[in-house]
Amino acid sequence: MSTNKPTVLIVDDESINISILMSFLKTDYRIIAAKNGHQALDRLTDAIPPDIILLDVVMPEMDGYEVCKKIKDNPVTQHIPVIFISSKNNHIDETNGFEMGAADYITKPISPPIVLSRIKTHLNLARVRQLLVSQNHLLEETIKQRTKELTQTQDITILALATLAETRDNETGNHIRRTQNYVKALAIELAKNPKHNEFLTPENIDLLFKSAPLHDIGKVGIPDNILLKPGKLSTDEFHIMKDHASLGNEALSKAEQLLGNGNISFLRFAREIASGHHEKWDGSGYPKGLSGEEIPFSARLMAVADVYDALISKRVYKPAFTHNKAVSIIIEGSGKHFDPEIVNAFLKIEKQFVDIAKCFSDGDQV
């Protein structure tokens, strides 16, 4: 039965003081004692640590203030309430005790009812604090689980939409895997610049990587006779093909609205990329003719990634260009088609582009 009682550690260098406290505490509490600070700290490592500590101030070698400080500096013991019981009754002494982290300060001569009441109060407070800690831990775990579920839902949504795009476009497969890795490589390089590191956080880079496969999602709305034509498109057909940027924007905008939030990160990035990756730095692109920094940064990244991949890939209307040829075309488009800053980043990591192209090759990249 006694093991169910709260444990009180009494620390006092005078045996008579320990005996007095034990005489009225032993009925309701399990008592352990220490006659100096070193013994007290040793008691804290016992298999059953105390639930509360009654601590004298004036002791040899290590006074109560120092003992209390050591208790509160230790993460393992800092939660244990400490009540000073001392003949030092100056308000400065009490202030010192509270500054060391004590929960209470009782002056001698002691009143048993007061000591019992204070112990009960601080044990109850400690239980409430521990309950709050447990509840907060449970809440944190619940939030982590919900966040994990939301992330999984987000990833599945992206995968489902990207898979839909693949079923409609026979050139989409490894193209989306290459371009998403190009975008990630560019973003990581640009994140080294203080101008961009606030936006290009690891979380946003991951979202850009996951959203990039949706850049051509609008192609699901293009008629088969144009989308799957085994040859170069006519002017009129190309005009219809260009609608895929607007169609992608509309589809992803509706998805945002249905979810009741117009600023869901992965959908926002996907929408920006789908709508803006054919815009050009000089304003000659489509669908809106945006220019410069009017074009979302995510779309400017995709513009370089998408064009590079189109250049090195074989198409029904063109052979696969060499990496060097693709690089020269991108350099020529700096400040016209592409954001010059992103082109500079591309040139710094072009070897990574070659490696990505090889890793996700269709067999026709050079």
Side-chain angles (χ1 to χ4, degrees):
M1 292 290 291
S2 61
T3 56
N4 294 324
K5 296 179 180 180
T7 299
V8 178
L9 169 61
I10 301 172
V11 187
D12 199 305
D13 61 324
E14 296 289 342
S15 298
I16 185 63
N17 292 332
I18 294 175
S19 297
I20 291 171
L21 288 166
M22 287 183 66
S23 67
F24 62 85
L25 291 176
K26 63 185 179 181
T27 302
D28 298 316
Y29 301 100
R30 172 179 176 266
I31 309 299
I32 56 177
K35 299 199 70 175
N36 57 59
H38 295 294
Q39 283 186 8
L41 295 175
D42 287 341
R43 295 287 187 272
L44 297 179
T45 63
D46 289 349
I48 303 177
D51 296 290
I52 195 165
I53 300 169
L54 304 182
L55 180 60
D56 187 21
V57 173
V58 181
M59 294 186 295
E61 297 184 35
M62 185 189 305
D63 68 18
Y65 295 139
E66 187 177 354
V67 174
C68 185
K69 186 176 186 306
K70 288 182 181 296
I71 292 169
K72 295 303 173 180
D73 285 343
N74 186 341
V76 176
T77 59
Q78 62 184 4
H79 67 283
I80 302 174
V82 174
I83 298 177
F84 278 114
I85 297 184
S86 175
S87 58
K88 294 170 70 69
N89 58 9
N90 191 292
H91 73 278
I92 295 176
D93 301 315
E94 293 187 28
T95 299
N96 288 340
F98 288 120
E99 286 179 350
M100 292 300 105
D104 212 335
Y105 195 104
I106 300 173
T107 56
K108 297 175 181 178
I110 61 171
S111 164
I114 289 177
V115 175
L116 287 167
S117 177
R118 300 284 180 86
I119 290 175
K120 183 178 180 180
T121 295
H122 289 294
L123 283 175
N124 285 336
L125 286 172
R127 291 190 192 100
V128 170
R129 281 194 295 269
Q130 186 57 45
L131 178 62
L132 287 173
V133 169
S134 298
Q135 289 178 333
N136 285 339
H137 179 70
L138 179 61
L139 180 59
E140 288 173 3
E141 290 302 311
T142 301
I143 291 172
K144 285 180 183 178
Q145 182 60 31
R146 293 289 185 270
T147 301
K148 181 180 179 181
E149 291 172 1
L150 286 171
T151 300
Q152 289 174 339
T153 300
Q154 166 187 298
D155 293 348
I156 291 169
T157 300
I158 294 173
L159 178 61
L161 289 170
T163 301
L164 175 63
E166 287 186 40
T167 64
R168 291 281 289 119
D169 185 355
N170 57 15
E171 293 179 348
T172 301
N174 278 347
H175 168 70
I176 66 173
R177 291 162 181 79
R178 291 190 296 271
T179 52
Q180 73 175 160
N181 280 281
Y182 297 151
V183 166
K184 182 176 182 179
L186 286 170
I188 291 172
E189 178 62 28
L190 286 160
K192 298 174 184 177
N193 186 332
K195 176 182 175 182
H196 300 298
N197 58 20
E198 184 175 346
F199 169 68
L200 292 175
T201 61
E203 294 76 16
N204 278 350
I205 290 174
D206 184 56
L207 286 173
L208 287 167
F209 174 79
K210 291 177 178 178
S211 302
L214 302 181
H215 66 280
D216 277 337
I217 188 66
K219 285 185 176 180
V220 297
I222 302 301
D224 284 351
N225 65 307
I226 295 175
L227 183 65
L228 305 178
K229 182 178 178 180
K232 189 172 183 179
L233 300 178
S234 67
T235 301
D236 289 341
E237 289 170 336
F238 182 65
H239 183 73
I240 294 172
M241 177 64 85
K242 290 197 297 185
D243 287 341
H244 79 275
S246 296
L247 291 170
N249 177 60
E250 291 169 10
L252 292 167
S253 294
K254 286 179 181 178
E256 286 183 292
Q257 292 169 10
L258 288 171
L259 289 174
N261 188 332
N263 195 35
I264 296 174
S265 296
F266 83 94
L267 286 176
R268 174 168 58 84
F269 288 149
R271 173 174 48 78
E272 290 174 353
I273 292 171
S275 175
H277 70 287
H278 287 297
E279 301 286 2
K280 296 184 179 181
W281 187 255
D282 63 5
S284 64
Y286 65 87
K288 297 180 180 179
L290 301 178
S291 64
E293 294 188 357
E294 292 177 339
I295 307 168
F297 193 75
S298 56
R300 283 180 265 154
L301 290 170
M302 177 54 74
V304 173
D306 193 41
V307 170
Y308 173 82
D309 200 65
L311 290 170
I312 66 165
S313 300
K314 182 180 178 181
R315 295 290 184 259
V316 293
Y317 53 85
K318 63 169 276 298
F321 293 166
T322 65
H323 168 75
N324 290 338
K325 175 66 174 176
V327 170
S328 67
I329 291 173
I330 288 176
I331 291 173
E332 185 179 347
S334 180
K336 301 172 186 176
H337 189 155
F338 309 112
D339 180 342
E341 193 172 14
I342 295 177
V343 172
N344 288 338
F346 163 73
L347 295 175
K348 291 179 182 178
I349 60 167
E350 59 176 292
K351 176 61 167 58
Q352 291 185 44
F353 272 56
V354 173
D355 293 340
I356 291 167
K358 287 180 180 178
C359 182
F360 299 99
S361 174
D362 289 327
D364 51 35
Q365 279 74 32
V366 179

